[in-house]
Amino acid sequence: MTLINSSLLLGLILAGIPLILHLVMRARPKRIEFPALRLLKARQPSNARRMRLRQFLLLALRILLICALVIAIARPSLPAANYSLRWWEWLGIIVSAGFSVAGYFVLIRRQEQRRLTAAGQLQHRNRLKVWCLLTGLLLLVLLTGIPWGVRVRAELLSPGNEGTEDIPVAAVFLIDNSISMKYRQENLTRLEAAAERAQDLLEQFPAGSRAAVATAETDEEIIFQADLSGASSRLESLEFSAVPGTLNRQLRAAIEAQVEHRKLVQEQAGLGGSADLFARDIYVLSDFSRASLQIPDESGLADLLTQLNWLHVYLVDLSVPNPMNAGITQLTLSDESSVTGLDLLLSMSVTSTPGLPAVATLETSLIDDTGQEVRSGAPVLVKLDGNASQFQTVLKLPGAGTSVQGVVRLTAEDPLMEDNVRYFSCGVRPAPKVLLIADRPEESLYLKNALQVRRCQCLSVATASAGEHAFAGFDAVILVGLQRPDDTLWNAVATYLQSGGGVFIVAGSSRIQPGAWNTAAARRFLPAIPLTVVRFLNEPGQLRLAATQHPLLRDFQREEALRVELGAAAFDRCWAVEPQPEANVLMTLSGPGSRPALLERTLGEGRCLMFTSAMDNLRDGGSQWNNLVTSWSFLALVEELLAHLTSQQTFPRNFISGTPVDLPVPATQRFEQFLLRRPGLRQTRGTLEPDQSSVLLTDAGEQGHYLLKPFESPSPFEAAFSVNFPDRETELTRIPDDQLRSLADTEQLTIIRNPEDLQNAVRASRLGVEVFPVLLGLVLLLFCAEHLMSNFFYDQAPTAP
């Protein structure tokens, strides 16, 4: 037990005043002669003993009353422990009191059956009161006192962070600065409320205290400020982060910072063992939404805190009971990049909580050349009924520009407005021109239809008239099942490739003559030379990805459903080929020998792709080779092939805060430096290294639109993309106490749901539990007992009428 005003214990001397008064004012008996009354002499010793006992009890009560009052004013405190009674301890008190009272009335009933004088009944009742009281006290000690003492003793024996109010404090304030802390109540965000709460604690720290302020950003170093004014300035400059880490990692970093600071203090002061100049605390101020902490914890906080019995952690909850919020989640686009004139489908979900206005408006806008929002389509009415609703809207892509950016906005007034706006970007490219060459036009019909779905401008010609068309006017050239192509055609294709064109060759016909494909002109660029037709007899062949990191196969590798659908196509025939040394195998056909299915080879600045099976469904053609064109994955494959051939490879343009942004740069559009326009029209400069084929951005965490352009370079490259924070950042559901307690099931971790109780909790853990209210109650009880006992001297036994 510690005393805040220990000098006041000198007041215990006053407890001797009742004893002195009792001795000084004790009446001296006078000798008076009475007649010899035998009955009176027989009663005298008994009455004298009873009167003396009452006087001693009254004297003891008066002494205890003064002692309790003095100790209460001295404000003693007990070591930190849970001194409150548990439910089974309260049950022991009730059982003890009930047994004592019931026993008394049962014995009184039996006494009434005995014939005693009035004096005898009074004396017997007094004895029954004493024995029942002693029995109740004994039961109280056995049922409540001993279990309570054992439990409290176990808590007291576990070492804690002991200190006094005058010892300097070394504290780390870990403040959650995630998006959910923007929730407003009483015109204060949760981050501002956290800063105010931390400022109040700083003002009450003793002189010489040190403090460090950290946020949830994982790359932030925790440094103790030289004085408290530095920590106060840091609190005033807190900002929100769209890329916060979980508080688990930062809490561990705060604990490690306390350990390092403690070692430094001990070395500078020449201390050893467990001695320290500071009482050490960590305050975690957050709304403790589900995104703030990783549950279960994988950073080892429980084991670390168990080893550091001198450290205390306070989890201060700043959340709002029954929060109200509405927002847009799960925004997706039908295409990351599309052709001019096609429709773009936006899908999203609107979530809400009870208590908001019943109806809100969902608006979609596009950003024009001046950066202004232009509404696209009619607003959509949304019912905010506390559930999630799915919505879709269709946008017509404009005909100008290489990209389009837009905003989806929910016009609902709620305390957290950040999730009412979502940003999106989509690449826009002109309709490519494709030349299809086949011996029979119907053999290229399926490819032509698949290309026209993507708004391509297709021209189908026969092999004999291919020389009449200039390949340079087309974005891609496709050769389908040519039987005997001559060197003139091969040379024209080679020239087109060297100038940067893209060629796709489909070798899926039994009429192909391998000798015509094995000339010197053909071997200049063909990825493989056809040898013979191979049939799959036992079971059909299936497509398998061989180069999973290739840009053409990126979507197939990322989307499992697309990859499974492509692999479900059954192949009965393919050409056995001799791959050229410069070629790369992108796809294979399962079966004996794992035969190449899709190969790539570059020539100059162009690229040539070759497919060793058919891409049609003619009765006398492709239907005998495979059923690929009957699968919806055929359309996806053709789209990726076209994008790769035309150097218009699609790449993701919509990202989540905290994820790397990878922007591929075509070899023909390389540059050295670039400018990145960020939200708020800020610009930063970067460099593209010579050995890199893409721009990798790791600091695009702010929500909004971005635009990357080459700096001081004639390259036409341009990449627009958007960033949104994760949907879970605005999920305001609080983490339950049992899950928070699972971080570290120790008395060193205190959960404070009401921030107003923080000061009392800190005082209780550092100085112990103050017993001033308990002692005042004891003083009141002793005063009442003294009053009753003093009046008891004047009580008279009831006499019979």
Side-chain angles (χ1 to χ4, degrees):
M1 177 183 291
T2 58
L3 298 170
I4 297 179
N5 302 315
S6 57
S7 60
L8 294 179
L9 289 181
L10 295 176
L12 291 177
I13 300 175
L14 300 177
I17 293 178
L19 179 61
I20 295 174
L21 292 177
H22 174 75
L23 295 176
V24 171
M25 301 181 65
R26 185 173 59 178
R28 299 180 180 277
K30 296 181 180 180
R31 187 176 183 84
I32 301 176
E33 297 293 337
F34 273 93
L37 298 177
R38 186 170 55 185
L39 182 60
L40 182 61
K41 288 183 177 182
R43 293 289 301 171
Q44 182 181 3
S46 175
N47 291 338
R49 285 195 300 270
R50 187 162 52 252
M51 184 62 67
R52 192 178 302 113
L53 176 61
R54 293 176 179 175
Q55 290 175 348
F56 285 152
L57 288 176
L58 181 60
L59 178 63
L61 286 174
R62 289 172 175 172
I63 293 175
L64 288 176
L65 176 61
I66 295 177
C67 291
L69 185 60
V70 171
I71 294 175
I73 296 175
R75 294 181 64 185
S77 62
L78 299 175
N82 185 8
Y83 294 98
S84 61
L85 297 177
R86 304 292 176 85
W87 67 268
W88 59 84
E89 294 165 351
W90 282 109
L91 181 61
I93 294 177
I94 295 174
V95 170
S96 302
F99 183 83
S100 178
V101 173
Y104 173 76
F105 284 106
V106 169
L107 295 176
I108 286 296
R109 286 284 183 89
R110 291 186 178 181
Q111 174 190 339
E112 291 176 354
Q113 298 176 1
R114 299 168 59 185
R115 296 180 179 181
L116 297 175
T117 62
Q121 288 182 357
L122 179 61
Q123 184 178 6
H124 192 69
R125 284 189 178 185
N126 291 335
R127 291 176 180 175
L128 285 180
K129 291 179 182 178
V130 173
W131 284 109
C132 289
L133 178 61
L134 293 177
T135 303
L137 292 176
L138 180 61
L139 288 175
L140 184 64
V141 171
L142 294 176
L143 299 180
T144 301
I146 294 178
W148 178 84
V150 171
R151 177 176 59 81
V152 173
R153 181 177 180 273
E155 296 181 5
L156 294 177
L157 290 180
S158 60
N161 181 18
E162 299 179 357
T164 67
E165 286 190 332
D166 298 328
I167 292 181
V169 179
V172 176
F173 293 94
L174 179 54
I175 299 179
D176 184 3
N177 62 336
S178 61
I179 299 298
S180 62
M181 294 288 285
K182 286 190 174 183
Y183 190 96
R184 285 189 174 273
Q185 185 186 38
E186 298 177 355
N187 204 29
L188 279 180
T189 65
R190 298 300 86 206
L191 183 63
E192 294 170 344
E196 284 191 1
R197 189 65 54 186
Q199 289 280 15
D200 293 342
L201 285 173
L202 285 177
E203 293 174 359
Q204 298 177 12
F205 280 175
S209 297
R210 299 289 182 86
V213 179
T215 61
E217 296 184 64
T218 55
D219 58 347
E220 184 176 0
E221 186 178 1
I222 300 177
I223 301 176
F224 282 89
Q225 302 293 329
D227 51 28
L228 296 183
S229 61
S232 180
S233 300
R234 177 73 176 90
L235 289 172
E236 294 175 356
S237 62
L238 292 176
E239 295 181 355
F240 292 97
S241 172
V243 197
T246 58
L247 293 175
N248 306 65
R249 183 179 301 179
Q250 284 299 90
L251 179 55
R252 184 178 180 88
I255 295 174
E256 294 172 349
Q258 285 279 24
V259 173
E260 293 298 324
H261 185 258
R262 186 170 185 263
K263 290 180 180 179
L264 180 62
V265 170
Q266 288 177 334
E267 291 176 0
Q268 294 177 347
L271 302 176
S274 60
D276 194 2
L277 299 181
F278 297 91
R280 299 188 177 274
D281 298 324
I282 296 177
Y283 302 91
V284 183
L285 297 99
S286 171
D287 60 355
F288 293 107
S289 60
R290 293 196 176 276
S292 62
L293 280 168
Q294 181 183 5
I295 303 293
D297 174 58
E298 297 180 356
S299 59
L301 292 175
D303 297 336
L304 192 58
L305 275 178
T306 303
Q307 301 170 8
L308 308 176
N309 51 46
W310 41 266
L311 183 63
H312 205 102
V313 178
Y314 301 91
L315 305 182
V316 186
D317 183 12
L318 298 170
S319 63
V320 176
N322 303 319
M324 297 183 297
N325 184 42
I328 303 172
T329 60
Q330 301 176 0
L331 175 63
T332 58
L333 280 67
S334 57
D335 291 293
E336 295 284 341
S337 180
S338 189
V339 176
T340 301
L342 289 181
D343 292 337
L344 179 66
L345 179 65
L346 299 181
S347 302
M348 69 207 75
S349 179
V350 176
T351 60
S352 62
T353 59
L356 293 171
V359 179
T361 303
L362 192 65
E363 299 177 351
T364 305
S365 303
L366 297 179
I367 308 300
D368 61 12
D369 296 336
T370 63
Q372 302 297 320
E373 295 184 11
V374 179
R375 184 177 298 176
S376 177
V380 179
L381 294 181
V382 179
K383 291 184 178 180
L384 304 180
D385 54 1
N387 299 313
S389 304
Q390 304 296 325
F391 294 92
Q392 289 185 336
T393 183
V394 178
L395 301 177
K396 181 72 70 175
L397 293 180
T402 60
S403 61
V404 61
Q405 294 183 314
V407 177
V408 181
R409 179 173 283 105
L410 181 66
T411 59
E413 295 294 333
D414 57 77
L416 184 62
M417 298 294 295
E418 276 62 32
D419 58 350
N420 291 18
V421 180
R422 295 291 178 172
Y423 302 87
F424 66 90
S425 295
C426 180
V428 180
R429 59 181 185 270
K433 297 179 179 181
V434 181
L435 176 64
L436 294 98
I437 303 174
D439 293 340
R440 298 184 300 169
E442 59 268 20
E443 289 181 332
S444 62
L445 181 61
Y446 287 87
L447 276 170
K448 181 179 179 180
N449 292 337
L451 292 170
Q452 287 179 338
V453 170
R454 308 307 299 175
R455 297 296 178 92
C456 294
Q457 299 179 17
C458 299
L459 176 62
S460 297
V461 299
T463 308
S465 59
E468 301 175 2
H469 301 275
F471 291 176
F474 295 90
D475 297 302
V477 175
I478 301 178
L479 309 178
V480 183
L482 303 186
Q483 181 180 356
R484 290 180 56 88
D486 55 19
D487 286 348
T488 303
L489 179 59
W490 290 138
N491 290 329
V493 172
T495 302
Y496 175 70
L497 283 170
Q498 286 181 331
S499 64
V503 176
F504 179 47
I505 301 173
V506 180
S509 174
S510 302
R511 295 186 299 272
I512 290 177
Q513 296 186 10
W517 292 58
N518 197 17
T519 64
R523 296 180 71 92
R524 288 178 57 193
F525 63 88
L526 284 181
I529 305 302
L531 300 177
T532 183
V533 176
V534 176
R535 295 187 178 186
F536 295 88
L537 300 177
N538 295 329
E539 58 182 10
Q542 293 178 327
L543 287 174
R544 295 290 183 263
L545 306 184
T548 56
Q549 301 302 320
H550 194 277
L552 189 151
L553 305 178
R554 186 176 300 162
D555 287 348
F556 292 91
Q557 178 65 22
R558 182 173 58 248
E559 300 179 18
E560 183 179 0
L562 182 58
R563 186 172 66 254
V564 171
E565 179 67 19
L566 182 65
F571 284 74
D572 297 324
R573 297 181 187 181
C574 75
W575 273 94
V577 296
E578 176 190 353
Q580 297 289 75
E582 302 87 353
N584 295 321
V585 178
L586 306 184
M587 288 186 183
T588 60
L589 284 170
S590 63
S594 184
R595 301 186 180 279
L598 182 64
L599 304 94
E600 181 186 29
R601 182 182 175 183
T602 59
L603 179 64
E605 297 180 356
R607 59 192 66 179
C608 179
L609 293 169
M610 181 176 180
F611 192 66
T612 62
S613 190
M615 282 192 172
D616 65 80
N617 200 29
L618 299 177
R619 180 173 299 179
D620 59 345
S623 63
Q624 300 175 4
W625 290 67
N626 58 65
N627 63 351
L628 176 62
V629 297
T630 63
S631 170
W632 59 266
S633 62
F634 172 68
L635 295 176
L637 178 60
V638 171
E639 181 180 359
E640 295 298 327
L641 287 170
L642 178 65
H644 187 63
L645 292 173
T646 57
S647 299
Q648 294 178 343
Q649 190 69 30
T650 60
F651 56 88
R653 294 177 179 267
N654 297 278
F655 300 90
I656 299 298
S657 299
T659 59
V661 177
D662 190 12
L663 305 174
V665 179
T668 58
Q669 301 180 10
R670 289 190 58 83
F671 48 85
E672 293 183 359
Q673 294 184 334
F674 61 86
L675 286 178
L676 179 63
R677 189 182 70 192
R678 299 174 180 269
L681 300 182
R682 293 189 305 110
Q683 286 192 340
T684 56
R685 184 180 299 181
T687 303
L688 177 63
E689 299 297 334
D691 58 341
Q692 294 178 347
S693 60
S694 63
V695 176
L696 182 63
L697 304 173
T698 58
D699 60 344
E702 188 177 356
Q703 178 172 285
H705 294 311
Y706 294 76
L707 180 63
L708 187 144
K709 287 185 175 182
F711 178 67
E712 296 182 350
S713 172
S715 172
F717 180 82
E718 181 177 291
F721 61 94
S722 300
V723 174
N724 292 289
F725 54 76
D727 295 338
R728 58 187 179 88
E729 285 295 326
T730 54
E731 183 183 354
L732 302 178
T733 305
R734 291 195 307 181
I735 301 176
D737 283 359
D738 57 341
Q739 295 185 13
L740 287 178
R741 178 61 61 186
S742 66
L743 293 176
D745 193 7
T746 173
E747 294 297 329
Q748 297 167 250
L749 182 70
T750 303
I751 302 173
I752 301 174
R753 288 299 187 185
N754 185 4
E756 302 297 333
D757 298 335
L758 178 58
Q759 286 290 349
N760 295 333
V762 172
R763 182 187 299 273
S765 63
R766 190 175 300 157
L767 299 178
V769 179
E770 191 171 347
V771 294
F772 179 73
V774 178
L775 289 177
L776 282 184
L778 180 61
V779 168
L780 181 61
L781 182 63
L782 291 174
F783 179 79
C784 294
E786 190 273 341
H787 179 74
L788 293 175
M789 182 61 71
S790 60
N791 291 334
F792 185 67
F793 286 108
Y794 303 98
D795 288 348
Q796 295 182 357
T799 56

